[in-house]
Amino acid sequence: MKISVTVPIKFRFVVATRETADDFWSKTATGRSLSLFQTPIVELALFPENSSGLPAIYNEVIEKSKDDPAILIFAHDDLHILDFHWMNAIFNGLTIFGIIGLAGNKRRVPFQPGWFFIDREFTPDDRVNLSGVVGHGTSFPPENISVFGNPFQEVKLLDGLFLAASSEILIKNRLRFDDHFKFHFYDMDFCRQAEIRGISMGTIPLSVIHQSGGSFGSEDWKQSYQHYLQKWGQ
């Protein structure tokens, strides 16, 4: 059964995947989810068989949106979207914040290696500082649900698995992703750039299941972390 929704705005998903363009719709969680929402106001900027860094891809779509404004949704390809009202949730969230995500941290501490952690030993931050809810697993119902904290909280850092903003906000403020960060820390860096520009960030309640976790501590991750520290210091 296809789900039709009428909302007076355009939503453009930006998704990179290792799958082919055809296989994206059947083999990825995000593709299967989006196939249910066939409506002219939902578009897909798909980068199949991708090996490029995410920032370069995301920036390309931002530039192309100068003449075709939309709400841009930068999403991983392994998200089961379970919320029939996700368009309204995103639209409403962007009436409150300039950039929205699903999970984040209300503070930032020195040498922080991720929005969820406070030190290089990967110690989770106290939940009083966290915001958002994300399901985990490969099917419904989710294997577990991470309740980080109440959504609709203003944050300083957002998880990059799902980020949304108006293309006009990004273009007006000359906010782009730093392509030095290929797959790690691009979200942390993006949030810090947004903070400098005075763009508010916050979480929204949206029912999704994320199939994978992070690759914290890998060699690529360590290199990106060093570059992040070189750029931002503490």
Side-chain angles (χ1 to χ4, degrees):
M1 182 178 67
K2 305 301 181 182
I3 301 168
S4 299
V5 183
T6 301
V7 180
I9 197 70
K10 184 188 295 184
F11 297 84
R12 183 172 299 134
F13 270 80
V14 188
V15 184
T17 183
R18 293 175 179 169
E19 302 293 344
T20 65
D22 289 338
D23 287 345
F24 169 76
W25 298 102
S26 61
K27 292 186 177 180
T28 73
T30 303
R32 291 194 297 271
S33 296
L34 291 180
S35 68
L36 297 173
F37 294 88
Q38 295 186 5
T39 165
I41 64 172
V42 177
E43 299 179 350
L44 174 64
L46 180 65
F47 294 81
E49 300 176 76
N50 180 65
S51 60
S52 301
L54 295 179
I57 288 169
Y58 291 170
N59 289 339
E60 178 181 331
V61 176
I62 295 172
E63 291 300 319
K64 289 182 178 178
S65 298
K66 287 181 177 179
D67 299 319
D68 188 14
I71 290 176
L72 301 181
I73 303 163
F74 306 101
H76 291 186
D77 71 345
D78 58 349
L79 298 177
H80 289 281
I81 303 173
L82 307 179
D83 194 332
F84 296 163
H85 303 286
W86 63 262
M87 295 181 224
N88 287 324
I90 293 171
F91 182 83
N92 292 335
L94 290 176
T95 66
I96 301 172
F97 306 108
I99 300 171
I100 57 174
L102 304 183
N105 198 317
K106 292 183 281 186
R107 69 169 182 164
R108 188 178 60 251
V109 299
F111 302 106
Q112 189 165 0
W115 70 269
F116 182 64
F117 304 110
I118 59 173
D119 56 36
R120 283 171 279 196
E121 284 69 49
F122 302 119
T123 304
D125 202 350
D126 192 301
R127 292 192 181 275
V128 70
N129 299 313
L130 304 177
S131 174
V133 178
V134 178
H136 305 281
T138 58
S139 62
F140 180 82
E143 296 168 14
N144 62 79
I145 298 176
S146 295
V147 181
F148 301 109
N150 291 333
F152 279 131
Q153 301 292 310
E154 186 164 3
V155 298
K156 290 182 177 291
L157 298 171
L158 285 165
D159 190 324
L161 84 159
F162 184 103
L163 299 170
S166 164
S167 63
E168 294 171 313
I169 289 289
L170 302 181
I171 292 166
K172 176 183 177 181
N173 289 277
R174 299 181 180 179
L175 177 57
R176 301 292 187 274
F177 293 86
D178 186 337
D179 59 13
H180 285 95
F181 302 101
K182 303 302 181 184
F183 298 102
H184 305 288
F185 289 92
Y186 71 89
D187 48 1
M188 298 265 288
D189 177 84
F190 184 71
C191 290
R192 296 194 70 159
Q193 290 193 66
E195 182 181 356
I196 289 174
R197 289 164 171 79
I199 303 174
S200 63
M201 297 169 282
T203 60
I204 61 169
L206 191 66
S207 299
V208 305
I209 299 175
H210 189 206
Q211 286 189 322
S212 62
S215 55
F216 303 105
S218 67
E219 287 304 314
D220 287 344
W221 182 93
K222 291 176 181 177
Q223 292 178 12
S224 294
Y225 180 50
Q226 290 304 313
H227 180 72
Y228 175 79
L229 294 180
Q230 289 169 8
K231 179 175 180 178
W232 294 103
Q234 295 185 0

